[in-house]
Amino acid sequence: MDWYDTIFELIDMRSFSNLWFWIALAVVWSTASHWVLGVPYDMVARARRHGGQAAEDLEDLIRINTNRLLYIGAVSGLWLLGIACFLMTGLILLGFVYGVEFAQAVFLLGFPMSIVGALNLSTARLIRDEDATGEALWRRLTRHRTIVQAIGMVSIFITALWGMYQNLAVGPFAG
């Protein structure tokens, strides 16, 4: 047995039985629910609690990030959408037609995050159109975070079910 076989025996390269995949899944969703439109959610809570300078800082950061997201969407949105659709289609084909487990894992991470990306763009557009400030802005950001958390819970549940299926039915111990 050479060093290559030893490393791959020590580190399971199958995605759904690998602890690192599950750690990455948890980190991705905790980060996605903590950062609302590029602003940490604790700033929203602080602005709501204290007002004043904290509220002004939050509104400035949201304005900057909203304008940035909408600019990127306007300038290169179609290209980004096309590339994302191409990548998701490739991952679906590789993962679920050809049975590549790594592609399945990346799809189960990437597809829900693409939904969150579209939600970010939609929320940014709503904030700009409403010219939301103060309580209206805080409610919009809280609603956005709640929806992201719901998407995350559904995504983690589906990923866990698919991962258990892969480990029990398709894994090395099956049959």
Side-chain angles (χ1 to χ4, degrees):
M1 183 181 294
D2 61 349
W3 67 273
Y4 185 77
D5 292 331
T6 305
I7 288 175
F8 279 97
E9 186 177 315
L10 179 66
I11 303 171
D12 187 8
M13 295 307 285
R14 292 180 52 246
S15 299
F16 297 111
S17 62
N18 192 332
L19 177 64
W20 292 109
F21 171 75
W22 297 105
I23 291 172
L25 182 72
V27 167
V28 162
W29 283 111
S30 66
T31 302
S33 67
H34 179 69
W35 291 86
V36 181
L37 292 179
V39 176
Y41 189 74
D42 61 289
M43 284 189 73
V44 177
R46 192 173 339 123
R48 179 175 276 158
R49 199 172 33 248
H50 300 296
Q53 187 63 45
E56 289 178 32
D57 291 346
L58 174 69
E59 289 174 6
D60 289 341
L61 278 175
I62 289 295
R63 180 182 46 78
I64 290 167
N65 288 338
T66 297
N67 289 338
R68 182 179 148 267
L69 277 172
L70 294 175
Y71 176 76
I72 291 170
V75 170
S76 56
L78 287 176
W79 280 100
L80 291 174
L81 180 65
I83 291 168
C85 289
F86 172 78
L87 290 174
M88 289 297 124
T89 302
L91 288 172
I92 288 171
L93 289 174
L94 281 173
F96 299 101
V97 175
Y98 294 109
V100 177
E101 189 173 317
F102 181 73
Q104 294 171 3
V106 172
F107 176 78
L108 289 171
L109 276 170
F111 179 70
M113 289 306 295
S114 66
I115 295 171
V116 170
L119 181 66
N120 282 342
L121 196 59
S122 174
T123 302
R125 187 169 289 122
L126 284 171
I127 288 171
R128 186 199 58 199
D129 290 348
E130 295 171 352
D131 198 26
T133 58
E135 186 63 35
L137 177 63
W138 306 332
R139 265 184 299 176
R140 175 73 59 198
L141 294 174
T142 301
R143 186 176 307 127
H144 176 83
R145 181 179 191 227
T146 303
I147 294 169
V148 169
Q149 287 174 330
I151 292 169
M153 287 189 304
V154 170
S155 171
I156 290 170
F157 180 73
I158 290 171
T159 302
L161 285 179
W162 185 256
M164 285 187 284
Y165 168 73
Q166 287 290 74
N167 287 333
L168 293 175
V170 184
F173 303 113

